[in-house]
Amino acid sequence: MSEVLNKVVNIVCEQLSVDKDDVNPESSFVEDLGADSLDTVELVMALEEEFEVEIPDDQAEEITTIQTAVEWIESNS
Amino acid sequence: MESRRVLVTGASRGIGEAIAKTFADDGFNVLGTCRNKKKSIPKESKTLNFEELDLSSSSSLDKFKKIVEDFKPEILVNNAGITRDNLFLRMTDEEWSSVIDTNLNGVFKVTKSVAKYMLKSRWGRIINMSSVSGIMGNAGQANYSASKAALEAFSKSLAKELGSRNITVNTIAPGYIQTDMTKDIDNTELIKRIPLGRVGDVSEIASLVKFLASESANYITGQTLVVDGGLFMR
């Protein structure tokens, strides 16, 4: 598991109070992990803090799964 | 329990000063803001500190964000506000927009910078200072009453958005309270309309703010509480 993926999984599990065993890269925050709209905003904020990046709102909307989060971070940091 | 951190805007005088002092007297860690730090500032408490903030200035607000970042307020009292009274037909664009800027836009910006820390800690109290002018309207205060009514609606929407994170948002609408803001108003006619027959004291607002910020008020959110001696009754 890449370091970025590992960190993203940890953040997602903490923010959404889900178990590591229940997530995979394709897990959708809203559909699979039960996030509401406020959760997804908080999640993006947590990612921004962890990776010291600023994710523009329009791009943040595209980040809906662990995989898309990892891809964004890898190509922007 | 560790003493909670309270941010009070407009805390150098009037209602804001009373609120800041009441919290500080009870051992809360209080950060008050005021437009001009050089003015005489009450400094009798170790847990009360002041920072400069002008809600109408974006550079001042940007600077203040960093202070918020360090302080991480748990209780926010949006108290700062201004009046620029004039009859509507004489009211200038500048009088209109300066009041909206400070009383409404400023609250939006401060609350936004504070709310994210409350979200993180899954606990927060936001108390917005409105006015009976915002409920009843008041001749000569089209700008002020519009800003204060807007604040009430703002609070309700925020209460709905943030409720799931254990953050309550309430509004206080003071009536006629003895402060610098009201000292030039001729109040003889007004007092006749107040059932309790007198103007209010700043401490009578501060005590409600403290109640709303306490664990006793856990289940109260999205409300407007009028403190006006009975001037306005629903």
Side-chain angles (χ1 to χ4, degrees):
Chain A
M1 205 190 270
S2 79
E3 199 194 335
V4 173
L5 177 61
N6 201 14
K7 278 185 182 171
V8 171
V9 167
N10 284 337
I11 290 169
V12 169
C13 289
E14 199 196 317
Q15 285 288 327
L16 305 180
S17 309
V18 289
D19 205 274
K20 261 189 181 174
D21 298 335
D22 296 331
V23 303
N24 61 62
E26 281 78 42
S27 298
S28 154
F29 304 139
V30 175
E31 275 147 42
D32 302 319
L33 305 177
D36 65 18
S37 55
L38 197 51
D39 285 320
T40 57
V41 174
E42 284 186 275
L43 192 55
V44 166
M45 276 164 42
L47 293 171
E48 287 179 329
E49 197 172 312
E50 174 68 35
F51 295 100
E52 291 171 350
V53 291
E54 201 153 314
I55 308 176
D57 285 348
D58 56 331
Q59 294 174 33
E61 277 170 31
E62 309 286 317
I63 300 175
T64 56
T65 64
I66 289 175
Q67 187 60 43
T68 49
V70 171
E71 278 164 13
W72 192 93
I73 290 155
E74 281 178 342
S75 54
N76 288 279
S77 59
Chain B
M1 192 178 71
E2 210 184 313
S3 59
R4 293 215 183 262
R5 295 179 299 276
V6 190
L7 173 61
V8 183
T9 64
S12 63
R13 57 198 175 126
I15 293 173
E17 180 186 1
I19 294 167
K21 277 186 178 170
T22 306
F23 276 116
D25 286 347
D26 277 15
F28 286 74
N29 186 0
V30 184
L31 181 65
T33 76
C34 49
R35 259 183 296 182
N36 191 347
K37 209 177 167 181
K38 286 172 203 82
K39 270 190 198 161
S40 61
I41 297 275
K43 191 72 189 116
E44 55 245 57
S45 166
K46 264 187 247 160
T47 62
L48 175 56
N49 291 295
F50 280 90
E51 287 291 344
E52 211 167 288
L53 172 65
D54 179 354
L55 288 179
S56 65
S57 148
S58 46
S59 64
S60 172
L61 281 156
D62 282 344
K63 222 172 93 190
F64 190 66
K65 264 190 203 165
K66 300 204 172 58
I67 295 162
V68 166
E69 213 170 285
D70 292 334
F71 187 66
K72 296 184 175 56
E74 298 168 285
I75 298 163
L76 167 64
V77 185
N78 281 312
N79 166 79
I82 59 167
T83 52
R84 296 286 299 278
D85 297 356
N86 206 345
L87 288 175
F88 173 65
L89 285 177
R90 290 178 184 277
M91 189 171 284
T92 63
D93 287 6
E94 201 273 323
E95 283 166 339
W96 172 267
S97 41
S98 64
V99 168
I100 300 292
D101 258 354
T102 297
N103 296 7
L104 184 59
N105 300 343
V107 168
F108 165 75
K109 287 168 189 161
V110 170
T111 308
K112 202 174 163 191
S113 65
V114 170
K116 55 178 177 186
Y117 302 105
M118 293 182 175
L119 281 169
K120 254 189 204 163
S121 58
R122 295 288 190 267
W123 195 93
R125 293 278 190 272
I126 299 171
I127 297 153
N128 295 322
M129 208 55 66
S130 180
S131 164
V132 284
S133 282
I135 302 171
M136 303 165 69
N138 197 14
Q141 291 198 312
N143 49 3
Y144 182 77
S145 58
S147 74
K148 292 303 189 183
L151 215 50
E152 195 181 337
F154 169 76
S155 302
K156 289 178 190 172
S157 293
L158 225 55
K160 290 189 175 179
E161 271 189 42
L162 304 179
S164 65
R165 302 304 193 265
N166 203 20
I167 298 168
T168 68
V169 189
N170 290 292
T171 310
I172 298 178
Y176 191 88
I177 307 295
Q178 194 63 55
T179 64
D180 288 349
M181 195 186 260
T182 57
K183 70 179 189 305
D184 295 329
I185 302 171
D186 175 21
N187 59 23
T188 37
E189 280 308 304
L190 193 80
I191 286 174
K192 284 182 197 159
R193 286 162 47 213
I194 301 173
L196 288 180
R198 62 176 178 87
V199 301
D201 185 76
V202 289
S203 66
E204 290 165 318
I205 303 296
S207 56
L208 177 59
V209 173
K210 243 189 61 197
F211 168 72
L212 287 173
S214 74
E215 303 289 335
S216 306
N218 274 346
Y219 203 52
I220 303 174
T221 195
Q223 301 304 308
T224 299
L225 291 121
V226 180
V227 186
D228 66 348
L231 177 67
F232 169 79
M233 295 183 194
R234 275 167 213 270

